[in-house]
Amino acid sequence: MRASRFVVPVVVLLVAACGARATGGQVKPPDNALVGVTMPTTTSPRWISDGENIKRDLESRGHRVDLQYAQNDVPNQVKQIESQIAAGAKLLIVASVDGSALTKPLQMAADAGIPVIAYDRLLRGSPNVDYYATFENFRVGIYQAESLLTGLGLRNADGSPGSVKEPVNVELFAGSSDDNNSVFFFNGAMSVLKPYIDDGRLVVRSGQVDFQSVTTQRWDGETARKRLEEILAASYRGKKINGVLSPYDGISLGILTALRNNGYGPAFPVVTGQDAELPSVKSIIAGEQYSTIYKDTRELATATASMAEAVLKDRTPPQLNNLNDYNNGVKVVPAFLLNPVSVDKSNYHKVLVESGYYTDDQLR
Ligand code: BGC
């Protein structure tokens, strides 16, 4: 009993370690390599298309793909990665639920000689992360904050000062505290908003302005709805809220529900977002959510698939364009960053429809 439990993993690790790597000093391009892809959840449309796009891209390059969704459950994601290693994956692409919780399976991957690409969310606290593919996350936060200010009339779209001079009330939301991106988004946003808060042009009546007090565990819209309703009850009796910094469309919809439940609408405070998810784009067209940030996840998937191809051939991915900013606590992970685009009612058609991301029919 003991012996067989011991033998199986060793065999599996040896098989995995031999895979696509050098044989007798010669590097063999892996044909039909198994790539393990793990995504955080299917509750958000973006991760569904991320997973499908990566799978399609890799399969068109002749690889096999095991695509798993962890449903926001860390032990589930650990198990999925472990079974991909056991199945002989030659490379892992991981979009984590909790970026710091995968050090053990990442060590198993390293022991088996399996390279790892962190997808969109940085894997933290481990030396066993080879590359990172994502967007300019700090810039996402800047765009969210600029769009909030524009919507509030404190800033014009060209960056010049807006016509509103009196103080406006806003509340701040950040993403999940276990997602490295949340810090980047929030810091980017605060780099724009802090001067306005400091000189009183923006008033945060709840007083909740530091990252830890504004995070939203697992990016959950319902959690955000509850937090905003508590804030409205405690700090907005007889006062109006004018805007909400929201880091993600699913959170924005929760925020809009809280506002609706508190008598707001049809005109709503300015609410930002991220991901250009279909319900939010429809909400923007209907004049409810103010803006979102579009990240072309098709491009991220394609770039990641070609990075994967290079890594499988033991080459350094040529795409890398940021070798400094993504320190995971153990090492700086070489990264490829794509550009986000700020979207509101004025440009959604050009950005989202003319690029083929959505059709007019989908937005009706
Ligand atoms: C992604 C965002 C997304 C959020 C919630 C972040 O890691 O970068 O695009 O809105 O997770 O899913």
Side-chain angles (χ1 to χ4, degrees):
M1 192 60 185
R2 276 184 78 85
S4 65
R5 269 167 62 206
F6 178 66
V7 166
V8 172
V10 168
V11 170
V12 167
L13 294 184
L14 284 177
V15 169
C18 293
R21 316 304 270 177
T23 7
Q26 285 241 306
V27 177
K28 281 214 166 168
D31 295 324
N32 202 20
L34 176 66
V35 178
V37 179
T38 39
M39 292 282 132
T41 177
T42 50
T43 57
S44 161
R46 83 147 279 191
W47 298 114
I48 300 177
S49 36
D50 279 293
E52 287 170 354
N53 288 336
I54 296 176
K55 187 167 168 7
R56 194 177 318 111
D57 263 309
L58 285 169
E59 284 175 349
S60 73
R61 292 165 192 269
H63 301 301
R64 288 173 297 132
V65 175
D66 179 54
L67 169 63
Q68 300 290 336
Y69 288 87
Q71 304 310 0
N72 275 336
D73 183 70
V74 174
N76 210 2
Q77 192 162 46
V78 170
K79 266 190 236 128
Q80 290 171 342
I81 294 173
E82 285 173 357
S83 63
Q84 290 173 339
I85 295 171
K90 301 291 182 285
L91 181 125
L92 298 176
I93 295 174
V94 182
S96 55
V97 174
D98 174 339
S100 305
L102 298 177
T103 50
K104 282 198 185 136
L106 293 180
Q107 188 57 52
M108 281 176 69
D111 293 345
I114 304 170
V116 174
I117 298 178
Y119 184 82
D120 197 65
R121 297 176 173 175
L122 186 61
L123 292 162
R124 293 191 51 85
S126 170
N128 305 310
V129 188
D130 296 85
Y131 300 105
Y132 180 36
T134 188
F135 288 82
E136 289 273 7
N137 293 313
F138 192 85
R139 196 176 298 163
V140 168
I142 291 180
Y143 287 174
Q144 289 170 334
E146 288 180 346
S147 144
L148 179 66
L149 294 178
T150 307
L152 290 168
L154 287 165
R155 170 189 185 275
N156 296 322
D158 64 4
S160 60
S163 55
V164 169
K165 300 294 172 217
E166 62 275 16
V168 293
N169 297 326
V170 296
E171 293 297 330
L172 311 176
F173 283 73
S176 200
S177 59
D178 49 17
D179 181 344
N180 191 63
N181 289 349
S182 303
V183 180
F184 277 72
F185 302 150
F186 189 68
N187 288 347
M190 287 307 264
S191 72
V192 174
L193 299 180
K194 192 166 181 303
Y196 288 78
I197 295 173
D198 287 349
D199 68 16
R201 281 174 290 172
L202 287 180
V203 180
V204 183
R205 292 184 61 82
S206 69
Q208 298 173 13
V209 291
D210 65 294
F211 178 70
Q212 281 311 329
S213 26
V214 304
T215 55
T216 312
Q217 194 59 6
R218 297 283 182 266
W219 301 90
D220 180 43
E222 187 54 14
T223 304
R225 178 192 64 74
K226 284 196 200 119
R227 179 171 164 251
L228 185 57
E229 290 196 350
E230 282 164 17
I231 290 175
L232 292 174
S235 310
Y236 285 83
R237 286 175 192 274
K239 300 276 177 202
K240 284 277 172 212
I241 184 170
N242 305 106
V244 184
L245 174 77
S246 166
Y248 153 59
D249 287 346
I251 289 179
S252 315
L253 296 184
I255 286 168
L256 285 163
T257 303
L259 291 168
R260 217 172 270 119
N261 292 347
N262 280 269
Y264 290 84
F268 283 95
V270 178
V271 179
T272 61
Q274 174 172 201
D275 289 344
E277 292 193 336
L278 202 48
S280 282
V281 179
K282 288 184 177 171
S283 172
I284 290 172
I285 296 168
E288 297 184 344
Q289 188 171 323
Y290 180 75
S291 62
T292 187
I293 305 296
Y294 168 57
K295 306 198 301 194
D296 190 340
T297 52
R298 298 168 304 184
E299 270 189 56
L300 188 63
T302 306
T304 306
S306 60
M307 282 168 86
E309 184 79 12
V311 177
L312 285 167
K313 290 182 174 152
D314 272 348
R315 297 196 191 120
T316 304
Q319 295 84 352
L320 302 174
N321 59 9
N322 186 300
L323 306 180
N324 302 313
D325 290 343
Y326 285 97
N327 188 324
N328 79 349
V330 175
K331 68 187 269 197
V332 176
V333 184
F336 171 65
L337 310 184
L338 280 162
N339 281 318
V341 181
S342 191
V343 170
D344 57 28
K345 207 171 176 174
S346 70
N347 68 348
Y348 82 88
H349 199 270
K350 184 170 189 311
V351 177
L352 301 176
V353 180
E354 289 172 29
S355 69
Y357 199 69
Y358 291 131
T359 62
D360 276 317
D361 272 354
Q362 284 175 295
L363 299 182
R364 264 190 261 280

